[in-house]
Amino acid sequence: KTIQAGAAAATFEEALEKERLEEEIAIARDIQQRLLPSSFPQLDHLEIYGFNIPSRQVGGDYFDCFLLDDDRVALAIGDVSGKGIGAALLMSNLHAGLHILTDSDMSMDRVISRLNNLIYENTNIDKFITFFYAEYNVRTRILAYINAGHNPPYIFHRDGSCELLEKGGLLLGMMGNRIYETGYVTLAPGDFLITYTDGVTEAKNKGGDMYE
């Protein structure tokens, strides 16, 4: 009877610990979802929309969209290596660093270089982030971007042509003091830009084939 009582107590404590952990994960998920935009800038001649569906309660996928000034809007998407709480913490670090650096007067390539150093200095070698950042000027219709090892976004032009946005540099957090190249493209009315993470391209059907 003593052994049975001890086993029951241990099972009860394990159940309490599991419930406490689930509550903490739920809180972390709520905080993470609040870091993602719930609404998007309203600008003339520009439509923006995005969404996130995590494979677990918390994860490392990140996207953002915010105004820089009356003419420019910032667009960002990233994917932190790994899953779970660790990836979510690194994602929150990325979010904070991006918003702080874009408030400065630094050029785009300098912002991404500084962001890379921030991630590199605060993570282990096995942690990294694929990241795409762009600034669109609604007055000039020029999209300036840097792709740091992320799945290349597509621009589908109204005339039926398509191009990948690949200019940039190494993914964030792998090496310090990296130089990033800025790419430029002019958008015309009817052009469509789509960004995504590998949660889309690596999705599989019932036969195990990747969507790609």
Side-chain angles (χ1 to χ4, degrees):
K1 290 182 179 180
T2 302
I3 294 175
Q4 290 177 345
T11 301
F12 180 69
E13 289 180 359
E14 289 175 0
L16 285 178
E17 178 63 20
K18 182 180 179 181
E19 182 179 350
R20 183 188 65 80
L21 182 59
E22 289 176 349
E23 289 177 354
E24 290 184 354
I25 292 176
I27 292 172
R29 173 180 169 80
D30 182 62
I31 293 173
Q32 185 178 39
Q33 289 300 309
R34 290 175 184 272
L35 295 179
L36 302 177
S38 58
S39 61
F40 301 91
Q42 301 298 309
L43 296 167
D44 292 339
H45 312 298
L46 182 67
E47 296 181 19
I48 305 172
Y49 180 70
F51 66 96
N52 172 265
I53 304 174
S55 61
R56 300 183 182 181
Q57 287 208 55
V58 291
D61 281 7
Y62 167 72
F63 78 97
D64 210 342
C65 179
F66 52 93
L67 287 174
L68 295 168
D69 54 40
D70 292 340
D71 293 326
R72 295 181 304 141
V73 59
L75 307 167
I77 187 167
D79 186 5
V80 179
S81 63
K83 304 291 183 182
I85 296 293
L89 288 172
L90 191 50
M91 187 272 264
S92 65
N93 194 19
L94 172 67
H95 174 275
L98 178 65
H99 280 259
I100 290 172
L101 292 171
T102 52
D103 278 342
S104 68
D105 294 326
M106 288 188 292
S107 62
M108 182 190 298
D109 60 325
R110 184 60 180 157
V111 166
I112 302 305
S113 181
R114 289 283 299 275
L115 193 59
N116 171 67
N117 284 347
L118 174 68
I119 302 300
Y120 176 73
E121 292 165 2
N122 289 282
T123 58
N124 296 324
I125 190 65
D126 61 335
K127 295 296 181 183
F128 53 86
I129 302 173
T130 68
F131 189 62
F132 176 85
Y133 177 73
E135 295 179 359
Y136 180 65
N137 189 311
V138 295
R139 182 174 51 82
T140 64
R141 292 181 178 171
I142 293 176
L143 180 83
Y145 73 89
I146 291 176
N147 188 337
H150 194 71
N151 301 84
Y154 287 85
I155 290 183
F156 295 96
H157 294 288
R158 188 177 183 179
D159 63 8
S161 62
C162 172
E163 64 180 296
L164 293 173
L165 304 185
E166 300 178 294
K167 288 186 178 179
L170 193 66
L171 37 75
L172 304 183
M174 290 295 291
M175 298 177 65
N177 301 319
R178 305 304 298 171
I179 296 175
Y180 290 86
E181 179 184 6
T182 303
Y184 299 91
V185 61
T186 300
L187 300 184
D191 286 355
F192 183 79
L193 167 67
I194 180 169
T195 66
Y196 57 94
T197 67
D198 61 13
V200 174
T201 55
E202 294 182 3
K204 297 180 181 179
N205 62 16
K206 292 181 179 180
D209 302 314
M210 284 190 181
Y211 183 70
E212 296 183 354

